[in-house]
Amino acid sequence: QVQLVESGGGLVQAGGSLRLSCTASGTIFSGMHMGWYRQAPGKQREVVARIFTGSTNTYYADSVKGRFTISRDNSKNTVDLQMNSLKPEDTAVYYCHAYTVISGIPMNYWGEGTLVTVSS
């Protein structure tokens, strides 16, 4: 059973920084594509950043490019999201996501989320 546990959320002023971390268990972490999503009140969940197996390919939503950095440490089964120059519109619950294919079946796993609040 794959488990994802996020940490690092909190309250920060606009312009500040936070670092989110996600620890995975119950899986071969290096073989999973990892990502961070967020969901603001009244809005749909959206992708923030992704990092693929091998740690070299990444994807960022336009809204966070240049401010957020995703990284992974396969030796520790962790994926982090460094968030700089935070804006009030970054306020949301942030979710860790893992994706892999098992016996030809795509599998998606989610953490329970961590709240990030950016005050103006």
Side-chain angles (χ1 to χ4, degrees), residues 10-30:
L11 174 64
V12 64
Q13 287 188 331
S17 298
L18 279 176
R19 188 176 184 89
L20 305 183
S21 186
C22 172
T23 302
S25 61
T27 183
I28 302 174
F29 182 77
S30 60

Side-chain angles (χ1 to χ4, degrees), residues 48-114:
V48 174
R50 293 177 178 147
I51 186 165
F52 302 95
T53 59
S55 304
T56 55
N57 292 332
T58 57
Y59 165 86
Y60 295 94
D62 288 342
S63 58
V64 306
K65 279 182 182 176
R67 300 189 297 123
F68 291 11
T69 302
I70 189 170
S71 60
R72 65 190 294 166
D73 187 335
N74 289 339
S75 68
K76 297 180 180 179
N77 285 10
T78 57
V79 57
D80 293 347
L81 185 68
Q82 178 65 42
M83 305 185 295
N84 299 327
S85 303
L86 283 161
K87 305 175 181 180
E89 50 264 43
D90 294 318
T91 295
V93 177
Y94 283 71
Y95 297 90
C96 181
H97 173 256
Y99 171 83
T100 189
V101 177
I102 299 176
S103 299
I105 301 173
M107 304 294 290
N108 290 279
Y109 303 96
W110 296 93
E112 293 189 350
T114 185

